[in-house]
Amino acid sequence: MNNYLSRVYTILPFFFFVVIKHLIAPLAAGYGYFYILSEASSTAGSIHWLLTPIVLLVLGTTGGILGLRFQSIVFKSYLLVFGILAWYVSGQDPTFIERLGRIMTDAHWLEALIAIPTVLFGLFGPLLITLGTRITGTTESNRINWKP
């Protein structure tokens, strides 16, 4: 029994480290970022509609720059968060997409024109910046190591 408990005590910290690193930290980072994004954009939108795209651009860029330090967490957080959201939405009523479409048609066309790219960048800013640095980093390293 003591041998079994000693093995459990040696494996347990490693197990919790793996769970925290690969599940809890990415989920917390993803949901934290999206919560800050939604709160800041709704606060900015209540002040003036033009502030919302600016806030989304700033948060998308800031999240991307911070995400450069923790690229694996950024990738995992998007996979986990959007996987959970897709699972949740798939179980909802089919009018969910219609409601989203109604929100877009009710908005002023200039607001929608400005907001769509900035909302997309706000949502995917950290992912796009980390992907961009990986792509440009690999092309740069290939260009430097290339020998004719």
Side-chain angles (χ1 to χ4, degrees):
M1 187 69 174
N2 285 339
N3 190 18
Y4 174 74
L5 286 176
S6 67
R7 276 190 277 159
V8 168
Y9 286 134
T10 56
I11 294 172
L12 208 56
F14 178 73
F15 174 75
F16 281 122
F17 173 75
V18 169
V19 168
I20 289 170
K21 182 180 179 187
H22 295 292
L23 188 65
I24 295 173
L27 275 176
Y31 276 113
Y33 175 72
F34 294 129
Y35 176 77
I36 290 169
L37 190 73
S38 66
E39 288 296 315
S41 60
S42 65
T43 304
S46 65
I47 296 170
H48 193 273
W49 67 269
L50 190 59
L51 285 177
T52 304
I54 295 168
V55 165
L56 290 171
L57 283 172
V58 168
L59 284 175
T61 308
T62 307
I65 291 169
L66 291 174
L68 289 176
R69 182 107 171 117
F70 307 101
Q71 290 186 12
S72 65
I73 288 181
V74 169
F75 292 124
K76 289 174 195 166
S77 70
Y78 275 90
L79 284 174
L80 288 170
V81 170
F82 283 114
I84 290 171
L85 288 176
W87 173 74
Y88 175 75
V89 168
S90 68
Q92 298 301 311
D93 58 323
T95 60
F96 179 74
I97 303 299
E98 294 173 8
R99 281 184 278 161
L100 287 178
R102 232 184 345 260
I103 290 170
M104 285 307 301
T105 55
D106 290 344
H108 189 268
W109 67 270
L110 181 61
E111 294 178 35
L113 185 69
I114 293 172
I116 288 172
T118 53
V119 165
L120 286 176
F121 184 75
L123 283 174
F124 295 105
L127 183 64
L128 292 174
I129 290 174
T130 52
L131 277 174
T133 55
R134 284 214 172 164
I135 291 169
T136 56
T138 55
T139 55
E140 284 295 320
S141 64
N142 289 343
R143 199 176 307 140
I144 291 170
N145 295 331
W146 182 75
K147 293 179 185 176

